[in-house]
Structure formats: C-alpha cells, structure tokens
Amino acid sequence: MTDRVEPIGAGEPETPERDGAFPRLDEGQRERLRKMGRVREVEAGEVLFRAGDETTEFFVVESGAVAIVQGLGEENRLIAIHAAGRFLGEMSLLIGQRLYLSGVVRDAGEVIQIPLSKLREIIDEDRALSDMILGAFMARRSILIDVGTGLKLIGSRFSPDSRRLRELLARNRMPFQWIDLDRDEHADALLTELAIEPSETPVAVTAGGEVLRNPDNAELGRAIGLGSRGSPPPLCDVVVVGAGPAGLSAALYAASEGLDVQGVEAVASGGQAGTSARIENYLGFPAGVSGSELTQRATVQAGKFGARLNVPAAAVALRSEPGRHEIELSNGDTATGRTVIVATGAQYRRLDVARLDEFEGTGVYYAATQAEAQLCADDPVVVVGGGNSAGQAAMFLSRHARDCRLVIRGGDLSKSMSRYLVDQVERNEWIEVVKDAQVAELHGDRELDGITIADSRSGERSQLPARALFVFIGASPHTEWLDGQLATDRAGFLLTGRDVGGESLVEYDGERPLFLETSRPGIFAVGDVHSSSIKRVSSAVGEGSMAVRLVHQRLASPVTESTPV
C-alpha cells in the first residue's frame, strides 16, 4: 500500500540553483538513468522516503514536483522543491547514514527510481554524472548544515556533554538543530512535551523520533547511522586505526587491491584536515578544496572498494602476537587484523592559561568549521597560531566574523606558514595580524567576551575583544592507547623503518623493519603520528598508499603467519 500524506508546498516555486546544489539533468543524462532504473507514475501526497529510514533509492523527477520536508506530519518544514530534471537525495545516500528528511510528491507525475547499487555504478563509470551528483550532494549537505535541519539536540552550551555531542555531529558534518536551554525560549516547552527534566539533558531526538538521554558517542553514532553497520569480522588483512587523510588513503588503496580492510575512527572521517576551511596547495585542485569535501570524497571512494569504517570508535588497547593484532575499541568491539596501520594523527595542544576548561566549547575552539562559524557570526574572533591551519582558519572566519585577529608568537608569518597563504592573509582587510604576542588571560562571565595578550618582548599587556578564540598551536601524538608497546621518539611520536634501533628490534629476530614499519612486525605508522613526518595532507595521503605496498610485503613474510580463525 502506497504511503501517502497531504501534499506539501502548494504554490511554492522550485528551489533556485545555488553553488551546484540543484543542477538539472539534460535529456541524454536522463535517458541513461532510465536504462539503469525504472520509470513509474507517482501521485500527489505519495511519500517516496521518510526521515528515519536506513536508506532509500535514487530518484529523478521526470515530471511533476517533489517536496523535501523536515519533520513530516509534525512541523512539516519545507526545505526544497524539485521539479522535472532534478534528482533527490544528499550525502546520506552514499555513506550509509539514516535519512533525516522526507520526500513527498507535491504534483503528480513520473519519477525514475534507481537502486543504490546502480547509482554507485554510475558514479564509478560516468565522470560527468559522478561529478554532478557528488558535487550536488556535498553542496546540499553544506546548505542543510547552515539552515539547521536534522536531529534536535537539546542542552546547555555550558554542559561538557552537550559540547561533546555537538563536536561529534559537527566533525561528522551531520546537520542538526541546536536548542540551547539557556537561550531558546521554546526549550522548556519542548522538554515538557518529551517528559524530560533539564537534569537529563543533553537529549538527542533523531529524525525517526528516537529520544536519547545523554547518549555516549557510540550510541548517538549508531542512531544516526555513522560508519559501517555490524561488528568487525573475526580477522581481516589490515586494520587501519584513524581516518584522517593518511588512514583514508591506506583504507582506500588496500581495499582497491583486494585486501580485507577494517577502519576505525574515534570521532569523524577526515581528522584535522577535515576541519580545514580550504586547502589550496593540494595537487589537482588549482582553485583549492575544503578539507570536508576532500575527505568526504575519499570516504565514498573507500566504501566503494569495500573498506568498512567503524565510527565513532576509539582505539583503547593493543594486544599482539605474530600475525595477529587485536585493537580493543571504546564501543566494546575488537578489530583484529594480520597487520595494522596506525594513522591516529595528533591532537591539538592547549593553551597554558587559566580558565581554559571553563570556556572550551563555549568560546575556545580547536577547529574552524561551518558549525563554529555559525556560533560566532558577526562577533569579534581571535585565531592563535602561525601555521597553515591557523592561516586557513583566519581566512575562513574573516568571511563570517565582525573582525578577525591572528595572534602569533614570532614576528614573521612566513616562518611556519606557506607563502601563498601568507600573501592571502596579508591582503585580507578583515584580518589583523598581531605579532610577537601570546594569550595571557581569558575574560567573561560564563561566556568568553575578551582576552589579554602579552607582548613576548616587552611583557606589555593589552586586551582584545573576542567572543571566540581558535587555537592552532601545534599537536602531540595520539599514542596513549599503545601503552608504550611501540618505540617512540622523545616527544612520543612512533619510530619507523631505519629509525627503529637497539633493543626495539628484538621482535625482528635479525631482520630490519620495513619503511614505515614500527618496532613490531606488521604494525605500520603513517601521517602525523610517526616521527619526523611532514605535516602536509599530500604527504599523509602518499604515506597511506605507500604503507599498503609494505603491508603486502609483510603479509608474504613468515613473521606474520598465523592460524586462520
């Protein structure tokens, strides 16, 4: 029986094209799609898919019109109207997340209905269609984040758990509606309707109506369909720990070469690179590419080749024997592989300043994404750091903030920032560079409203207005979960290849580690986590692909032989 409701959006015009989000297919493209699926008639009010569904098929509007709706049957918020020649859907279709919007036929007509398996064939084989569809899906996701669709998250901005869940959603580029108990006049009424006490917040209400009281990251991730479904297999060829550029590259190339790959990631695909507003020195993108776009495309590619990704799931412990390495995960699962590629990257260093804990998440941030830009729109912001991450953040935030100051410890931006980025920052009239300075104090009553900086030469202090402070002052490696089992340098970064020496070589029994191989045979390190790495996205991607060749070599070695499970 056809699922029907009252038609929505009567009299509304078709949503206009915006940044490639709503392209129209030509007759030749639609003819090809007709051959991949089936054309069927639809009636006004027919529901093509509902929020909360695990997935749906790919629809192209042949005639008539379809409304995209938030909160079908309740708020009935109209998000978009698509008429003939438009296709429906966004990134959820390709990366397996649950749907958070509904599609309702407004005007009777015909649609082309295409199975997802056929859509993936199209993306593999037709470059023009692939670029159009992927580009539109990513642009739509950005628009949906901006307008606040998706699940409802209710809580206090001063709650650490609220900040944790907001970070999880923002880093995974999941659209959500943030309802602040301290500011939103409708928050109390919504809690009453849900029969929830303020002490039980934060509360997440999914698009399917599931209510989660202060869920942990894994629980919320499962509810919205992050990552691959199901537990990891008993034994795979390689476990990739971390899904930044290095980890995604390793997973993609390993899967494309026929290896059975299990990836695990603590927070979100993309790592620190995924939070970068613009990467302009990456090969093949002369106009630059956002970190989120680059890593979303890589995630889709890796999944296309069969790589599984368990997210959010942090590695918490390692147990090894020759040819078998078990990674215990924070969600209770265990990922087991004949080899391991560690790509856990590094975590941002924190300022050594009083009251930092008080303002983290409510005024102090370590990423500059769309979510943070929305929070500080038309406010004064300060970015601290002299590297590329700080420069890219300043350029991005200057388009949203009232004014933007970039504070650096030294007197020369070019010392640690790429020349092209230095030129952009210095030409940007909305960015003021404050040199030879460091943050000394934070000010505000519950919310940040200013900082004190100290001149690093004279010690003279001055105050700057700041509703948001973005910190990019270097990083330390994510290696605590290894509990000292692998050799590191003095700063804790993993030693690999010829840098492994002395007593650390005991497990090799006279052999030498392969390039990028750690002090334990079969465990490799790529990207920012290994000693002397080059802190660039391109080098991380290169190391990820290079590690796969070394994995093949190690798997062919007697030292990795193990009894099949």
Side-chain angles (χ1 to χ4, degrees), residues 12 35 102 301 377 423 465 518 520:
E12 293 292 331
K35 295 175 181 178
S102 302
Q301 275 184 296
D423 292 340
T518 67
R520 182 162 295 173

Side-chain angles (χ1 to χ4, degrees), residues 244-253 270 273 279 282-283 294-295 298 301 343 516 526-528 534-548:
L248 284 174
S249 171
L252 190 160
Y253 285 104
I279 302 169
Y282 191 77
L283 182 68
L294 183 66
T295 54
Q301 275 184 296
L516 298 178
V526 296
D528 290 356
I534 299 172
K535 304 298 189 290
R536 290 290 184 271
V537 173
S538 55
S539 62
V541 170
E543 288 181 4
S545 62
M546 191 185 310
V548 174

